[in-house]
Amino acid sequence: MHSFMNRTFLRRPGLARTLPSLFVAALSIPVQAGDWAAYGGDSGGQRHAAISEITPRNVASLEVAWTFRSGELGQDFPRAKEKFSFQATPLQIGDTLYFNTLTGKVFAIDAAHGSLRWQFDAKIDRNRHYSEMAARGVAYWRDPTADAAAPCAQRIVFATLDARLLEIDAKNGKACADFGERGEVALSKGVRLQSSGDYNVTSPPTIAGDVAIVGSAIGDNRSTQDELGVVRAYDLRDGHLRWHWDPIPRTAVIPVDAANPDFGELDQQRATRTGAANAWGVLATDPQRDLVFIPTGSASPDFFGGARPGNNQWANSLVALRASTGAFVWGQQLVHHDLWDYDNAAQPILIELRRGEGTIPAVVQLTKTGQVFVFHRETGVPLYDMEERAVPQDAAPGETPSPTQPFSALPALVSHAQVTADDAWGLTFWDRNRCREQIAALRSEGIYTPPSLQGTILRPGYAGGVNWGSGSWDEQRQLLIVNVMDLPMVVTLIPNDDLSAIYDSGEFEDWEFSRMRGTPYGMRRRALLSPLGVPCTPPPWGKLVAMDLGKGRIAWQGPLGTTRDLAIWPFKGIEGVPGIGGPLTTSSGLTFIGAAAENTFRAFDSVTGKELWSARLPAGPQATPMSYAIGGRQYVVIAAGGHTGLQTTRGDFLIAYALPETPR
């Protein structure tokens, strides 16, 4: 995720705060039905709370129940000013919440009052230049063979930016010495490490039985030979490697049953060289069926694939593996030969889809293209049709795009139309005309237009569509509710001989450049913006959308967020801004979401889409909320820490909302 609008138009983030006092308490942590025991609420990532104290009738009475401050604002990190964010969704186990920060710290706090119980510091290297700076949460495991009073009978499992997998005792925050080497496993081994700062882990591990399954976040667009995007499963008791799966095969001869036909035509050197296709988002598991669902990203580099011909399976795919062994069960590639950074960022969502009088076990994959794909969980058969459609060709010399791409029969959540000069938008006639000129000079043929030397408009952009926030599933109403972006981006390929001169010219200071070593080109990219730093296409640039999956149609949609915290007067009232983060639904029929590039947290009616409540926050809530009940009182919690790429106010706040307490 990168800065979408420049600082001419935007305000700067806020200031740091101090750390609350520390004390440690021994805890008893019984896991109960209804605990928020996994990142997405449950192992299937539904982001739904089966709690109904807060309703559409009383939600307007919500008030702050408590606020916790971590004190972590990226101090001393070289890219904190450029990429800082606080994206964690806490876990709730009994009366305790657990969450982490990108600085490698884990916190346990009282779920009813927000007071600190313990904290753990993984002591990551703060001087390293990390390509990614995010930490979205931790995982929890209860060892069923251990006595409840034994050390590390209950464990918090998490990974760090410097690629370590750690376990700590959920009761007191002490390292579990029997796991790996003194409580940790090095994830950077066996991945063909090229750069220690470019191999990170930003999402929580996924727990399946007695293994922790982890993917990785690999720095984009560096070369053809980036790190391997392997997914690995580690024994939760001692940390030994139980299995690994590589989305890209490493041999020239590929067995038929490996379902990788396109790589069978590659020579040994190319197959060995290709990297990434990593799963950097959150995985989902089906314990009953012993399945783990893996959303994979693009093979390296993102915007030129001449050195990786073919479809590049299983990059850009949804893959089901046997969770206990890593054996391949089925896969569906959702983008062939990705040239647009359309990796699958969203966590798969496991649902029961109603059809007639019965239900079907299904898995939903949301994509950066804004498409919704639904498959039978056991077989991978599409439950809504998929078809291959012809897409634009005529790529840069040396490139061979896929002639077709898969499209879902379900309506897209974001526009796939080409951007034309007639679409130009601006705050003034002057910047609208500059946008019109810019669009006319770029290649724009709609979705899947290949990157070019001329410059290509990507719609949807490489941030989505749907990003890591994924969606929320309201099973009672069969509603899938999703935060989406419609913010076109521009990518330009640059011959290697010209790259340094163009970079040094100073003409493109607001652009991101990458070398893409091993290819004939480097590249530059950013959002399609006017000289004033605002999008060249009309709003909304961000929406909240509800899809009725039972009927296969969009139930409602509307703009999410305003320019209140982004724009100078008189442009504060524009509705529908870019955002990052996901929604939460509740059984009472509410949808809670922050996400938008605004310091505001909102609640909507899940059935109608009407906004029912909002609260101003001290920082941007670019995270996904969660909810739980303690002592009969329902809490809704959101991380408010800001997102540098969206230019929202930075902070270190975890804030809980609840209805006013009833006098006793």
Side-chain angles (χ1 to χ4, degrees), residues 315-452:
N316 302 91
S317 300
L318 176 62
V319 174
L321 304 181
R322 197 65 63 198
S324 57
T325 66
F328 183 93
V329 179
W330 61 262
Q332 288 278 1
Q333 189 172 56
L334 306 181
V335 178
H336 305 320
H337 191 73
D338 184 13
L339 303 175
W340 308 272
D341 195 7
Y342 284 159
D343 42 11
N344 288 318
Q347 183 183 18
I349 308 172
L350 308 190
I351 71 170
E352 296 295 324
L353 180 65
R354 287 202 292 266
R355 286 273 176 92
E357 298 298 318
T359 61
I360 302 173
V363 54
V364 177
Q365 184 63 57
L366 298 161
T367 68
K368 284 187 179 180
T369 64
Q371 297 194 74
V372 181
F373 294 94
V374 186
F375 306 103
H376 194 289
R377 218 180 297 169
E378 296 173 345
T379 65
V381 173
L383 297 178
Y384 287 94
D385 288 343
M386 291 172 59
E387 67 171 349
E388 293 285 333
R389 299 181 193 167
V391 293
Q393 299 293 294
D394 299 325
E399 182 61 84
T400 306
S402 172
T404 65
Q405 292 288 351
F407 285 82
S408 172
L410 289 166
L413 305 178
V414 66
S415 176
H416 291 168
Q418 69 180 127
V419 178
T420 71
D422 291 338
D423 297 319
W425 185 88
L427 299 178
T428 68
F429 287 114
W430 176 79
D431 70 319
R432 185 182 306 166
N433 285 334
R434 301 292 81 74
C435 282
R436 184 176 292 113
E437 293 167 359
Q438 184 181 174
I439 293 169
L442 294 167
R443 186 177 178 190
S444 177
E445 300 171 33
I447 190 171
Y448 295 122
T449 305
S452 62

Side-chain angles (χ1 to χ4, degrees), residues 592-648:
F592 290 91
I593 189 166
E598 181 183 6
N599 299 348
T600 303
F601 188 35
R602 293 178 167 87
F604 295 84
D605 187 306
S606 296
V607 175
T608 66
K610 180 181 179 182
E611 184 177 322
L612 302 176
W613 169 84
S614 66
R616 295 287 290 161
L617 303 176
Q622 282 70 57
T624 300
M626 50 86 72
S627 185
Y628 57 92
I630 295 286
R633 192 181 192 199
Q634 182 180 357
Y635 297 81
V636 179
V637 174
I638 184 74
H643 190 285
T644 305
L646 290 172
Q647 295 298 302
T648 52

Side-chain angles (χ1 to χ4, degrees), residues 107-229:
F107 296 85
I109 64 177
D110 183 291
H113 305 103
S115 55
L116 181 66
R117 289 187 159 160
W118 55 255
Q119 71 172 9
F120 174 89
D121 187 354
K123 299 186 185 304
I124 70 174
D125 184 354
R126 291 179 177 244
N127 295 314
R128 189 178 297 176
H129 191 275
Y130 298 101
S131 61
E132 298 295 333
M133 294 202 66
R136 298 184 187 93
V138 300
Y140 169 85
W141 182 62
R142 168 69 168 93
D143 185 349
T145 67
D147 184 275
C152 289
Q154 300 168 89
R155 307 186 183 205
I156 298 301
V157 190
F158 71 104
T160 58
L161 283 185
D162 58 359
R164 288 178 288 148
L165 181 66
L166 296 94
E167 287 189 355
I168 53 181
D169 194 322
K171 293 182 292 184
N172 54 34
K174 295 181 179 180
C176 296
D178 57 347
F179 180 78
E181 297 291 329
R182 296 182 296 278
E184 64 181 62
V185 171
L187 298 175
S188 57
K189 296 179 180 179
V191 297
R192 195 178 66 193
L193 188 67
Q194 308 294 305
S195 167
S196 59
D198 287 300
Y199 188 83
N200 320 126
V201 184
T202 55
S203 293
T206 296
I207 306 301
D210 60 355
V211 298
I213 306 172
V214 290
S216 59
I218 295 174
D220 289 346
N221 297 304
R222 291 148 49 223
S223 70
T224 56
Q225 194 169 337
D226 283 352
E227 291 79 6
L228 309 182

Side-chain angles (χ1 to χ4, degrees), residues 224-260:
T224 56
Q225 194 169 337
D226 283 352
E227 291 79 6
L228 309 182
V230 292
V231 175
R232 292 172 287 183
Y234 293 90
D235 187 285
L236 281 160
R237 292 185 179 87
D238 62 19
H240 79 270
L241 181 66
R242 294 269 287 270
W243 58 259
H244 75 278
W245 175 77
D246 191 338
I248 296 176
R250 302 295 158 187
T251 58
V253 179
I254 309 301
V256 174
D257 61 358
N260 289 283

Side-chain angles (χ1 to χ4, degrees), residues 59-68 112-114 601 613-618 633-638 653-661:
V59 67
S61 299
L62 281 181
E63 62 183 21
V64 174
W66 53 258
T67 299
F68 176 82
H113 305 103
F601 188 35
W613 169 84
S614 66
R616 295 287 290 161
L617 303 176
R633 192 181 192 199
Q634 182 180 357
Y635 297 81
V636 179
V637 174
I638 184 74
F653 304 87
L654 193 70
I655 304 174
Y657 291 89
L659 295 173
E661 289 189 280

